[in-house]
Structures are given as C-alpha cells and as structure tokens.
C-alpha cells in the first residue's frame, strides 16, 4: 500500500510541475506577442491603423512576419492599404516588405 501512495504522489507532483511549466511558457509567449504588436502599432502610429496581425510562429530565428491595414483617406482617393512587414523579436526592428492598395 505504501508503494501505491508514493507512486500516486509522484504522479501528482509530475502533473503539477508540467502544469506550472506549461502556463509559464504560455505567459512568456503571450508577453512576446504583446510586445511585438505594441512595437508594430508604435511604428505605424502616424497612420490610421485598422488592424494589425503577427503570425504566431517565427519565419526563422526570431523574425516574425506580420501585417497592418491602414486607411488612406485623401481629398480625391479614399481606400485602404495593406502593409506586410517582418519584425525581429530581439531588437523589435521592423522591415517593411510590401504594400498593396485594397
């Protein structure tokens, strides 16, 4: 009976550790995505931002791809523009890849 109690306590301890590690990783990942989104919003702050997105998985190393849709309201033209970019998670440096009028 004593072996079963030790085995049960071992399973409970392992499950608790796995739960703690998983939620710690999720909190860290959420923080990284929040920092990337905030950096993108700051970079495009002079534009009228409609939406921002960043893909969850990095393209390579710590380089994430993302995009932003901005409203370009002028006197004669009123349309939206999509801008694709890459952002480095370590330096938060943004490199614009392309832009396309919608």
């Amino acid at each position: 009976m004593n072996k079963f109690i030790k085995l049960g306590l071992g399973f409970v301890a392992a499950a608790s550790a796995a739960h703690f590690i998983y939620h710690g990783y999720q909190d860290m990942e959420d923080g990284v995505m929040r920092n990337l989104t905030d950096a993108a919003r700051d970079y495009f702050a002079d534009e009228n931002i409609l939406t921002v997105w960043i893909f969850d998985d990095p393209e390579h190393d710590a380089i994430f791809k993302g995009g932003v849709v901005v409203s370009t309201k002028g006197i004669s033209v009123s349309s939206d523009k999509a801008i694709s970019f890459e952002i480095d998670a370590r330096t938060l440096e943004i490199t614009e890849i392309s832009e396309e009028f919608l």
Side-chain angles (χ1 to χ4, degrees):
M1 183 77 165
N2 198 10
K3 290 181 183 180
F4 292 118
I5 292 174
K6 288 180 181 178
L7 185 62
L9 288 175
F11 283 139
V12 169
S16 297
H19 178 77
F20 178 75
I21 291 170
Y22 173 77
H23 283 289
Y25 176 78
Q26 282 301 109
D27 290 343
M28 182 195 67
E29 185 177 359
D30 291 343
V32 168
M33 293 307 288
R34 190 171 28 256
N35 289 342
L36 294 176
T37 303
D38 289 345
R41 286 188 180 278
D42 289 344
Y43 183 83
F44 294 104
D46 58 339
E47 306 275 352
N48 185 13
I49 298 173
L50 299 176
T51 188
V52 176
W53 69 91
I54 297 175
F55 294 107
D56 289 335
D57 296 327
E59 187 72 20
H60 52 85
D61 293 332
I63 307 295
F64 289 81
K65 287 196 179 253
V68 63
V69 176
V70 296
S71 177
T72 56
K73 295 183 179 178
I75 296 172
S76 61
V77 174
S78 177
S79 65
D80 297 335
K81 180 171 59 170
I83 303 171
S84 299
F85 62 86
E86 290 182 339
I87 183 167
D88 187 348
R90 288 173 277 175
T91 63
L92 299 179
E93 182 180 332
I94 293 178
T95 306
E96 293 185 31
I97 298 173
S98 66
E99 53 182 64
E100 177 181 332
F101 285 96
L102 304 174

